[in-house]
Amino acid sequence: MKAVLEFPTVRGIQAGREYYISMCPLGLVPKIFLFNEGLTPEQRSQRQLNRGRVPEIARYLVDNKDDYVFSAITASIDGDAEFLPNAGDDLTGTLRVQMKTSKIIINDGQHRRAAIEAALERAPELADETIAVVLFFDRGLERCQQMFADLNRYAVRPSRSLSVLFDHRDELAVASRLLLSRLPSISELVEFEKTSLSQRSKALFTLSAFYTATEALLVDFEPGSAEQRDDAAVEFWSAIAKQMPHWDDVRCGAMTSGALRDTYINSHSVALHALGRVGNALLKLRSKKKFDDPLPRLASIDWRRTADTWVGRAVVAGRMSKTHLSVTLTSNVIKTHLGLPLSADEQSIEDAFRRQPHAA
């Protein structure tokens, strides 16, 4: 590494302190940006590196070399550095860092830095790409820790529904949106942005819940084409909607979503997910030419939350449950009612449940 690093920069002021915005080649990122592993929490200026996150981020970078987006790395310079302004312009210039006597410590972006290092091993051609960098002068551990706290103070992850809505890389997210565009009777009941539903909401399900249910519907289902897959999914969800008259009551305003969700479990994500599992079994039977449509029998299921059927399954301790176990136990009831066989795993879970005293 060079004894002196020079960053073409733009100088700015925040809270009376200078900071610098520059760009850095990805190939240099692992070499010049450090994160302080091996220290106690009190000695660090950022969270401990979670190595489990690194492969996923690196894979995103490698798989989307022509279409990735990385936000800026924020770091502090601990050592000798000076800003040399361009002639006639004191806002742009060159930041010179003496690397023999200086360290550049990451305040925010250590997982991006580790992922870049991993990605370069698989795709060295990325080395000449650049990432934005925001540089501050280090003013001690306390200041660096406060910077980390401030940088993350108001960071809020988008809701999963909003992520599904905006994600054009995830094939299932794209398929889920396409399906809803063909399913107006269900689409009108879907909340596309929020992660939870208010009592006054007209929606019964979030986009995230529909995504998860559709994922369960289509798992290991491989027809001849994506069009056939989508057609089968549309056919299934259309048939489900026809067997749920209360959904129509909400859509036409005869009943509020909150009132329905207070009374029936088939207006909750646990039931939607369970129905997706049931549909998967039906699709696989149909692919083996043994398909006999039993879905009209759904109308005779007692979907009330107070029904003994759902105690310990979809309703645990008086509250709706959305655990993997609850989904399986709920789908077991529906499958059995429709005359569908349970898988070995489902039967094992069912047997264990029935040995418990809460089983009806």
Side-chain angles (χ1 to χ4, degrees), residues 178-198:
L178 175 62
L179 295 180
L180 286 173
S181 72
R182 298 173 59 185
L183 293 164
S185 61
I186 294 178
S187 180
E188 292 178 26
L189 301 174
V190 171
E191 167 56 58
F192 283 84
E193 294 189 49
K194 297 178 182 177
T195 189
S196 59
L197 303 173
S198 68

Side-chain angles (χ1 to χ4, degrees), residues 18 124 169 237 260 281 321 339-340 359-360:
E18 291 186 354
R169 302 188 198 281
W237 287 123
L260 182 59
S321 174
L340 297 173

Side-chain angles (χ1 to χ4, degrees), residues 76-103:
S76 294
I77 302 170
D78 178 9
D80 297 323
E82 62 176 333
F83 175 70
L84 304 175
N86 292 329
D89 182 2
D90 62 357
L91 295 180
T92 64
T94 301
L95 185 66
R96 303 188 67 194
V97 182
Q98 303 290 335
M99 295 308 296
K100 287 186 177 182
T101 57
S102 303
K103 295 183 295 184

